[in-house]
Amino acid sequence: MWYMICSTDVANSLPLRKTAQTEHRARLQQLQDEGRLLTAGPLPAVDSNDPGDAGFTGSLVVAEFDSLEQAQAWADSDPYIAAGVYTGSVVKPYKRVFG
């Protein structure tokens, strides 16, 4: 089943994001390589694809997992959690209708 993982950044997270970005993206690339990633990306803090110093307010991932517990465990082990980027993540089942 598909799951939506919406994570919220701490204030001024941009420097923290840079410290763990390589590991964070590697996990997403693994999901992509396995055909389990529908979409993923950061949520800009301003209305722009390139928010510059404004940075990001969080991230959205929609990926396929065997269970809600597995999706939650994957979210909880994100390198951005360990680096202090995220205050937490909301994980919910997602029903893919379009796309």
Side-chain angles (χ1 to χ4, degrees):
M1 179 165 191
W2 294 100
Y3 294 90
M4 179 269 331
I5 302 168
C6 189
S7 303
T8 303
D9 281 23
V10 298
N12 304 309
S13 64
L14 197 54
L16 296 171
R17 277 178 167 267
K18 291 177 182 177
T19 67
Q21 189 173 59
T22 299
E23 296 85 1
H24 171 78
R25 287 186 177 178
R27 295 175 80 234
L28 293 168
Q29 185 62 55
Q30 181 179 0
L31 288 177
Q32 178 71 28
D33 293 347
E34 294 169 356
R36 297 172 44 210
L37 183 65
L38 182 62
T39 192
L43 307 173
V46 295
D47 191 11
S48 173
N49 280 328
D50 182 6
D53 291 339
F56 302 95
T57 61
S59 299
L60 174 67
V61 174
V62 179
E64 191 173 31
F65 295 94
D66 290 334
S67 67
L68 178 60
E69 293 77 18
Q70 188 184 63
Q72 185 68 60
W74 188 90
D76 291 344
S77 63
D78 194 304
Y80 278 178
I81 294 279
V85 174
Y86 293 154
T87 61
S89 300
V90 173
V91 181
K92 294 183 178 186
Y94 175 82
K95 182 178 177 182
R96 184 176 178 184
V97 176
F98 294 102

